Amino acid sequence: MQSNLVIFPKTEPAKNSTQTKERTITKYERAEEQFIELLAMEDLDNKLNAKPSIASEFEQSLSMAIEGAYKNDRSDEQAHRFLQRILYRINRLKLFWYDDLQHYNNERSLYLHSCRDKIEAAWQQWELAQIDVAALQQLDVKQALIERASADLNPPLSENSRYIREEMTEAGYRHLLAIGSFDGLVEGSRLCYVLGGAANEIQCTLVRVLLEEYGNGRLARKHSTFFAQMLAEFGMNTEPEGYFDLVPWEVLACDNHNFLTTDRKRYFLRYSGALTYFEVAGPAAYKNYLAAAQRLELSEAAMGYWELHIKEDERHGRWMLDDVALSLAERYPNDAWELLLGYDQEKQMGDRAAGAVVRSIREAE
């Protein structure tokens, strides 16, 4: 594993931080460590049946976090972070990481599934409350999709976009890569969950998107290879999840939402709408990162991933809109509004995550 040259000093608690807040953070950290031990426990479900108390401290923290994140008027940021990290640790078992096979002993644990369902139930209700679902159900779906895609293809520069383009330093760029590596090094993996089933034009388009994400089966052309090259150019850690502790909860939420909508076939329209937004809007974000790298006069290897994505995602965006989203709207006229729900949620959650990443970059700088 390569050394990490990005140094992020630990920040001391603010002087006005309350003892209660400090105790809460410590409790969540301790609960996450306990959960990691549960994940690695041999025959977890049977051991919990024999001695439920071994998970009691974790379960108390889980209930407290759900209350703090989703049921209070003022959301607890540490609770959000704890819940999304726990949820991700469960969800990641759906992918194969080419590591010790013993790590997957509990991948079908009923206890882990119950924890996942408990978090998701409260979290999804909280997320949906931020979307006017009734209004979406009244729209002409195809027209709304076309209008949204047109607006998101070349949006006006936001304050965060201008900061990245015009102010972000090289240290900030490295911090951006560190957070971005969380998804960039395993990009496209969750798409495989929606590809099985009856053959049709929609399925074939999704397969084409996945194949291009995977370099058409050539590792040298796989998108994650280009991201790893950017990290290597700075001597940074190129291992997947190497910067997990830097990832804001808002970014984790996007990944966990993606796991949910790909894992449940009932959410296929929501996922397709979300992927349409992701592919349509991606090039605009990558152009910001590319502009920053060019301003900083970085090497071609330090920006190659952005250049590749700008070209390919512009094509993917057209495929997703024309051949997937609009086709699904015709195939499922009564449920087509779910495409808009997926699209709008992906945009809302993506904007929230982007804001969190910029805040993290500013703090690191």
Side-chain angles (χ1 to χ4, degrees):
M1 183 178 294
Q2 298 183 29
S3 63
N4 171 11
L5 299 184
V6 187
I7 301 174
F8 306 103
K10 293 184 179 180
T11 55
E12 295 297 325
K15 292 182 179 179
N16 62 351
S17 295
T18 65
Q19 290 183 347
T20 301
K21 182 178 179 181
E22 291 174 8
R23 282 201 302 272
T24 301
I25 294 173
T26 302
K27 185 177 181 66
Y28 286 147
E29 291 173 345
R30 187 167 63 247
E32 185 174 351
E33 288 301 317
Q34 183 186 29
F35 184 73
I36 292 172
E37 293 174 4
L38 293 174
L39 279 174
M41 191 173 291
E42 190 76 26
D43 200 18
L44 173 63
D45 286 356
N46 284 331
K47 287 185 177 177
L48 283 171
N49 287 335
K51 189 177 181 182
S53 62
I54 60 178
S56 58
E57 183 177 352
F58 164 72
E59 290 175 359
Q60 289 172 6
S61 296
L62 185 64
S63 297
M64 182 176 71
I66 289 174
E67 183 74 24
Y70 308 129
K71 299 181 181 180
N72 289 341
D73 292 336
R74 186 176 181 180
S75 290
D76 182 343
E77 293 295 305
Q78 291 299 325
H80 277 291
R81 183 174 186 270
F82 169 72
L83 291 170
Q84 294 299 331
R85 284 169 67 92
I86 294 299
L87 192 53
Y88 176 77
R89 289 188 185 280
I90 299 172
N91 283 331
R92 70 183 299 280
L93 292 175
K94 298 173 184 176
L95 304 179
F96 188 65
W97 297 86
Y98 290 87
D99 55 353
D100 188 342
L101 297 178
Q102 303 306 310
H103 292 168
Y104 305 92
N105 284 343
N106 293 312
E107 65 178 312
R108 303 195 73 180
S109 162
L110 295 177
Y111 177 75
L112 294 184
H113 286 192
S114 71
C115 292
R116 180 199 64 194
D117 293 347
K118 187 176 182 180
I119 297 171
E120 283 182 346
W123 169 46
Q124 285 296 301
Q125 185 177 12
W126 181 78
E127 293 284 8
L128 281 171
Q130 302 175 53
I131 298 284
D132 189 345
V133 173
L136 295 180
Q137 293 173 330
Q138 303 304 313
L139 295 176
D140 180 324
V141 173
K142 294 179 72 172
Q143 185 62 31
L145 283 168
I146 292 170
E147 291 174 355
R148 280 162 165 73
S150 177
D152 293 325
L153 185 60
N154 290 298
L157 290 180
S158 65
E159 180 181 347
N160 286 339
S161 295
R162 291 190 182 280
Y163 165 74
I164 289 172
R165 281 175 170 262
E166 301 169 6
E167 300 179 43
M168 184 173 64
T169 65
E170 184 175 317
Y173 186 80
R174 295 199 301 270
H175 192 86
L176 172 70
L177 294 186
I179 296 175
S181 69
F182 172 68
D183 193 63
L185 293 179
V186 291
E187 185 183 13
S189 296
R190 293 176 297 276
L191 176 56
C192 67
Y193 279 92
V194 304
L195 297 181
N200 54 50
E201 291 296 330
I202 294 169
Q203 183 203 42
C204 289
T205 299
L206 291 171
V207 170
R208 288 164 66 197
V209 172
L210 180 69
L211 286 175
E212 289 208 353
E213 297 286 353
Y214 273 72
N216 288 303
R218 293 173 295 172
L219 181 61
R221 298 298 302 171
K222 189 177 183 296
H223 290 186
S224 61
T225 298
F226 287 86
F227 204 105
Q229 289 172 352
M230 292 197 298
L231 295 168
E233 191 72 1
F234 294 103
M236 295 171 62
N237 187 352
T238 59
E239 293 294 322
E241 301 178 333
Y243 295 98
F244 180 62
D245 286 339
L246 293 181
V247 181
W249 73 260
E250 296 89 341
V251 175
L252 287 171
C254 290
D255 275 60
N256 285 326
H257 189 76
N258 211 237
F259 273 117
L260 170 64
T261 54
T262 53
D263 194 41
R264 296 192 59 182
K265 302 304 177 287
R266 178 60 185 83
Y267 295 157
F268 181 73
L269 297 188
R270 285 176 63 183
Y271 173 72
S272 298
L275 185 58
T276 299
Y277 171 76
F278 185 84
E279 298 292 351
V280 165
Y286 303 140
K287 287 175 183 176
N288 294 333
Y289 307 150
L290 180 61
Q294 291 171 336
R295 172 177 54 82
L296 293 168
E297 299 182 347
L298 301 179
S299 67
E300 288 296 320
M303 65 180 84
Y305 178 88
W306 315 129
E307 293 179 309
L308 173 68
H309 260 57
I310 291 169
K311 295 176 182 177
E312 292 202 354
D313 281 5
E314 287 176 346
R315 181 169 63 254
H316 293 175
R318 292 192 299 271
W319 291 353
M320 287 303 304
L321 178 64
D322 296 338
D323 301 332
V324 176
L326 295 180
S327 295
L328 285 171
E330 291 182 359
R331 183 179 288 257
Y332 297 98
N334 295 331
D335 301 305
W337 65 270
E338 295 181 20
L339 290 158
L340 295 176
L341 174 60
Y343 189 104
D344 288 0
Q345 275 197 305
E346 183 74 11
K347 180 174 182 177
Q348 184 180 79
M349 296 174 73
D351 288 347
R352 185 175 67 194
V357 170
V358 169
R359 288 194 300 274
S360 183
I361 291 172
R362 287 180 180 273
E363 292 170 3
E365 290 184 318

